Amino acid sequence: MPRLDLNPAAMARELLDFGQRAAGGVRTLRQLGALRPGVTPRQAVWRRDQVTLYRYTTAHTAPGQPLLIVYALVNRPDMADLEDGRSLIQGLVQRGFDVYLLDWGYPGPLDRELGLDDYINGYLDGAVDHLRSSLARAALPLLGICQGGTFSLCYAALQPRKVESLVTTVTPVDFHTGGDTLAHLVRHVDVDALIAGRAVVSGDCLNALFLSLKPYQLLQQKYLRMLEHFDDPRATAMFLRMEQWIFDSPNLTARACREFACDLYQANRLARGELEIGGQPVRLDAIRVPVLNIYARADHLVPPASSRALRELIGSADYTEHELAGGHIGVYVTAGAPVAAVVAEWMQTRSAG
């Protein structure tokens, strides 16, 4: 058995260093106070039930081409505007876009029957029609994030005349690709038993599932790393904003949960061309507008293969893929807003053409 060599002097120095960082961290927390997500000014321009459409503006930038962001149901969209210099929305506004975002809100027990038809053909279509009317445009560019990207694909297939162009980011398309741990787990879940007697599926329950995919990195390692920078106000503020976003998880209506889990994750109906929403077939080959598909190289929730499957299914002759370094969330909160830069360059090229 190897002999454990403990150096008392080295241990004392390490403990002293840890104590100093911890003390500095306490001072940092007192200085930071309450942290609120969102750095870009916004105003509500349309509401229906618990769903709100926001417009993001700055006093220094004249709005240009409109762009509607469609987020996922299972997390808050705060991640897209987390902090100064690490914000997709801020990056787009600074590059001259007139940015709108559809906030799904927090569904409650009375919303249990809301399904994909309500979210896509109801709320999303209502927001698009409002903007088409107020902006006097026949069609709008859409940018979908994760599940919101899947919704945007479905919407573009169902309402092709209302979509001018489409950007999908870290978007699942083929739910049966290899290495998709989340999809593999969901395929073995008895969804009917999960939602039995429930109006909504707890956001905390869904969040626990996502965290379990990388338990050491997402439940232990990140806190150890946080302690290393506990006395750094900027790093600590970033960490706390991320924690606030992670654990502010809206509930998911029982019907939407069942439809998304069973029709997409388990039966893979979108990729198979068998999905129906509101009694209408969702065919990806009906999408003929320009499409930019951005995926993350180290994405553990949506593997690149799941997103890249879109190439073989889309009907558009103008299809572009772009890989970004980083993970599912990291590509959005990296300094410099790399997603915004890619989107802006692609859309400006289309406008020039």
Side-chain angles (χ1 to χ4, degrees), residues 303-345:
S306 176
S307 294
R308 297 185 66 184
L310 185 60
R311 175 186 290 276
E312 302 301 323
L313 302 172
I314 202 77
S316 174
D318 186 352
Y319 173 83
T320 304
E321 283 181 1
H322 190 97
E323 179 185 84
L324 286 175
H328 191 74
I329 304 303
V331 294
Y332 298 101
V333 298
T334 298
V339 174
V342 173
V343 171
E345 181 180 358

Side-chain angles (χ1 to χ4, degrees), residues 175-195:
F175 291 77
H176 285 186
T177 57
D180 193 332
T181 306
L182 178 59
H184 181 77
L185 287 175
V186 175
R187 287 202 295 274
H188 293 82
V189 172
D190 186 339
V191 179
D192 288 326
L194 174 67
I195 66 175

Side-chain angles (χ1 to χ4, degrees), residues 164-312:
E164 181 178 283
S165 61
L166 177 61
V167 178
T168 55
T169 64
V170 297
T171 293
V173 178
D174 184 345
F175 291 77
H176 285 186
T177 57
D180 193 332
T181 306
L182 178 59
H184 181 77
L185 287 175
V186 175
R187 287 202 295 274
H188 293 82
V189 172
D190 186 339
V191 179
D192 288 326
L194 174 67
I195 66 175
R198 299 174 185 267
V200 295
V201 177
S202 165
D204 292 336
C205 175
L206 295 170
N207 194 40
L209 173 62
F210 300 146
L211 294 176
S212 71
L213 299 177
K214 298 176 74 174
Y216 176 65
Q217 285 182 280
L218 299 179
L219 293 172
Q220 298 178 29
Q221 188 181 50
K222 68 175 181 179
Y223 295 109
L224 295 175
R225 287 179 174 174
M226 182 271 290
L227 290 175
E228 295 177 1
H229 306 284
F230 200 24
D231 54 351
D232 181 341
R234 186 171 181 82
T236 301
M238 172 68 175
F239 178 86
L240 293 176
R241 287 191 181 98
M242 282 296 300
E243 288 295 280
Q244 183 177 4
W245 172 76
I246 289 170
F247 292 102
D248 182 13
S249 300
N251 298 328
L252 186 62
T253 69
R255 184 172 181 178
C257 178
R258 188 186 190 285
E259 290 175 348
F260 204 81
C262 295
D263 290 345
L264 285 91
Y265 272 103
Q266 294 184 345
N268 203 24
R269 290 198 170 105
L270 178 62
R272 294 177 183 275
E274 301 169 354
L275 182 64
E276 290 190 0
I277 296 177
Q280 303 174 31
V282 178
R283 299 296 302 270
L284 295 178
D285 58 6
I287 301 175
R288 304 298 173 87
V289 298
V291 175
L292 170 63
N293 186 16
I294 300 174
Y295 60 93
R297 185 185 307 157
D299 196 329
H300 73 289
L301 287 176
V302 181
S306 176
S307 294
R308 297 185 66 184
L310 185 60
R311 175 186 290 276
E312 302 301 323

